[in-house]
Amino acid sequence: MVRIYLVRHAEAEGNVKEFFQGRTDTSVSEKGRLQLERLAERFKDIPIEALYSSPLKRAMSTAEAINRYHGLPIITDDELMEINGGDWEGVTWSELPEKFPGEYRMWKEEINHFAAPNGESTKQVYDRMKAAMKRIASENEGRTIAVVSHGMAIKAYLNCAEGREWENYADPGWADNTAVSLIEYDDELIPKIIFKNDGSHLEGGLSTLAVSNWCSDELEAAK
């Protein structure tokens, strides 16, 4: 069996200014650094034996926090990166409906068919995360490990881990910044979600989603 803690990166500039971050390589915010303090303590007594991360700065900072009490080499993996937003990169969420009305409607209503102009489709994200997580699990038989990735990448993979193809998309919700999911893989590398998108370490006003405007309607619908 393999146990993988799948963690979203800490709050970064795009989360604060509410623009589409995608592959834009932003740094962790002040609140993000506080989130990382909590995350480091959460992982202090979890016996992780390997640590993988997207190479983007906000993910690497998160991996370093997880690693504070473990001293593991951080293995960077491009397949764990966020969706390539193409022409959406750097555009604020408030501007997207006006600049890209068709694509924005697709993002909101049929995200499994979404692709930004000159960017990556969510189906491509699903396929590469499915392959990457299976490969990482196969490399770590019998281990407990941590993997740091991004919001859309995690959202897509949780559908896979719940046994759905992307065309049968069901919304698993957005992971808060530094939220943790635990997935176990059997001997056939079939994933099973133990818990998902847990942000219980973010008490005391450290949640990003709780104060975000861009996802307020998704959060309201999930209540």
Side-chain angles (χ1 to χ4, degrees), residues 15-86:
N15 305 114
V16 177
K17 297 182 179 179
E18 299 202 346
F19 61 78
F20 197 93
Q21 273 183 125
R23 298 288 177 90
T24 305
D25 202 6
T26 55
S27 297
V28 169
S29 69
E30 182 177 351
K31 181 190 278 188
R33 288 190 288 273
L34 296 175
Q35 292 172 344
L36 292 181
E37 291 299 314
R38 297 281 185 87
L39 188 69
E41 293 305 310
R42 177 170 182 163
F43 274 89
K44 182 177 181 179
D45 297 319
I46 296 176
I48 59 172
E49 300 165 87
L51 179 55
Y52 292 72
S53 178
S54 155
L56 295 179
K57 288 186 292 188
R58 58 192 186 270
M60 287 296 291
S61 294
T62 304
E64 289 163 3
I66 292 170
N67 202 29
R68 181 174 299 172
Y69 299 105
H70 301 283
L72 297 166
I74 299 174
I75 303 166
T76 57
D77 191 326
D78 288 353
E79 298 302 295
L80 299 172
M81 291 176 72
E82 183 58 296
I83 188 171
N84 180 345

Side-chain angles (χ1 to χ4, degrees), residues 88 93-98 100-110 114 214 217-218:
W88 278 36
W93 286 97
S94 61
E95 294 175 307
L96 285 171
E98 180 179 349
F100 304 97
E103 290 86 357
Y104 186 77
R105 184 200 61 79
M106 194 74 69
W107 174 271
K108 299 291 289 183
E109 299 176 10
E110 299 180 71
F114 170 82
W214 73 268
D217 51 346
E218 284 93 341

Side-chain angles (χ1 to χ4, degrees), residues 157-169:
Y157 183 68
L158 290 177
N159 264 280
C160 174
E162 290 179 331
R164 287 185 292 271
E165 293 300 322
W166 191 238
E167 285 302 310
N168 297 319
Y169 170 79

Side-chain angles (χ1 to χ4, degrees), residues 160-204:
C160 174
E162 290 179 331
R164 287 185 292 271
E165 293 300 322
W166 191 238
E167 285 302 310
N168 297 319
Y169 170 79
D171 196 339
W174 291 99
D176 210 333
N177 291 105
T178 71
V180 181
S181 298
L182 175 59
I183 303 149
E184 291 184 350
Y185 300 77
D186 64 17
D187 292 341
E188 302 298 320
L189 298 180
I190 304 300
K192 177 184 178 182
I193 295 176
I194 306 305
F195 60 80
K196 64 182 179 183
N197 295 340
D198 179 62
S200 56
H201 57 285
L202 296 175
E203 296 176 346

